[in-house]
Amino acid sequence: MDWLLNAGDDPAHKFLLMIIAIVLFVAVMALILFVVDKPRNPSKWFIAGGFVGPALLLLAAGLLYPAIGTIVNSFQRRNSSEFVGFDNYARAFSDPAFLLVLGNTALWVLVAPALATFIGLVYAVVVDHSRFEKFAKALVFLPMAISMVGASIIWRFVYEYKPDQPGIEQTGLLNQLIVWLGGSPVQFLLERPGNTFLLMVVLIWIQTGFSMTLLSASIRAIPTDIVEAARLDGLSGFGMFWRITIPSIRPALVVVLTTIAMTTLKVFDIVRTMTAGRYGTSVVANEFYEQSFRQNNAGLGAALAVLLFIIVIPVIIYNVRQMRLAEEVR
């Protein structure tokens, strides 16, 4: 058993474990098919149980069990030796350092989704039926293909700072522009609260393409008879946008806003890659990692994970409801 759990750094050992895992998976699936196919007239519930049952067991083992374990750990000390009640939660809501983390998280949730959705909506309206519509949309959608870590590295080079000394050239795009204009280079990622907003730019840059794509499709789905009736009533320009476009795509707007909000709540890659949570930029997702794996404080890390889970649940429920409403409207 120890041989299976401890692969070490041996590539051959890891490859062999992979082969064993594949063989076991094929064997289990073959056994399930054999059992389900054996009865002559199996009921629908029997067939459904045969295929869904293993998946539910895996979900329980991979999601439910760890979730319960995390909740239990959140009421224990850093080494999970004894229960301390709500002490970890009390610290999360009283310690100035953690209050800053919660404040940063709230700032991300309020600002990043709103700006990404707004920019995507305006862009979708502006380029709709334009001459270069496909090219313009592809240009904004391209960052969606870049991972969070990759985008963070790109923008870290944009914000890069070098001392203002003779013979030293700026490698950061923004600081180079500032120097060309006669200014002095700025350490963008060190000064708060501006550094938090500069980190948000990365997420907005990525998510604007997502919001633009969904909202553009929703705008195109507005019935032409509604648009023509509005034009006959004298609406045009901003009036058409405010009175016809916005109400017609409201369900899609809410879905986009809440989806980006969920992504924002879980943002870890950007903060970790660009600042590692230093200089007052940490958020709940990053602090959960920091406390659990760097500070070895399992209790506080679990409490932060539970808080993040509690915050995300209402957003998910609201998002699902709005998606159902959007489907009913269609």
Side-chain angles (χ1 to χ4, degrees), residues 243-288:
R243 296 179 180 274
I244 302 298
T245 304
I246 294 296
S248 299
I249 66 171
R250 182 185 172 278
L253 266 174
V254 174
V255 169
V256 169
L257 197 62
T258 52
T259 302
I260 299 176
M262 284 189 292
T263 304
T264 303
L265 281 169
K266 298 179 293 181
V267 69
F268 166 80
D269 318 60
I270 296 172
V271 175
R272 198 72 205 171
T273 303
M274 298 189 73
T275 64
R278 294 172 294 179
Y279 320 121
T281 59
S282 188
V283 291
V284 172
N286 178 74
E287 199 62 30
F288 153 66

Side-chain angles (χ1 to χ4, degrees), residues 223-244:
T224 54
D225 54 346
I226 295 178
V227 177
E228 290 173 359
R231 285 175 179 165
L232 289 174
D233 288 339
L235 285 178
S236 62
F238 183 76
M240 177 72 74
F241 172 77
W242 186 253
R243 296 179 180 274
I244 302 298

Side-chain angles (χ1 to χ4, degrees), residues 200-235:
M200 291 182 196
V201 170
V202 183
L203 184 70
I204 294 169
W205 182 61
I206 295 173
Q207 294 296 322
T208 295
F210 166 75
S211 64
M212 180 270 299
T213 303
L214 265 66
L215 296 177
S216 178
S218 298
I219 291 171
R220 285 182 171 273
I222 299 175
T224 54
D225 54 346
I226 295 178
V227 177
E228 290 173 359
R231 285 175 179 165
L232 289 174
D233 288 339
L235 285 178

Side-chain angles (χ1 to χ4, degrees), residues 108-132:
W108 273 82
V109 173
L110 291 173
V111 176
L115 282 178
T117 304
F118 175 75
I119 296 171
L121 174 61
V122 172
Y123 196 86
V125 172
V126 170
V127 304
D128 191 39
H129 295 105
S130 66
R131 188 175 180 181
F132 303 102

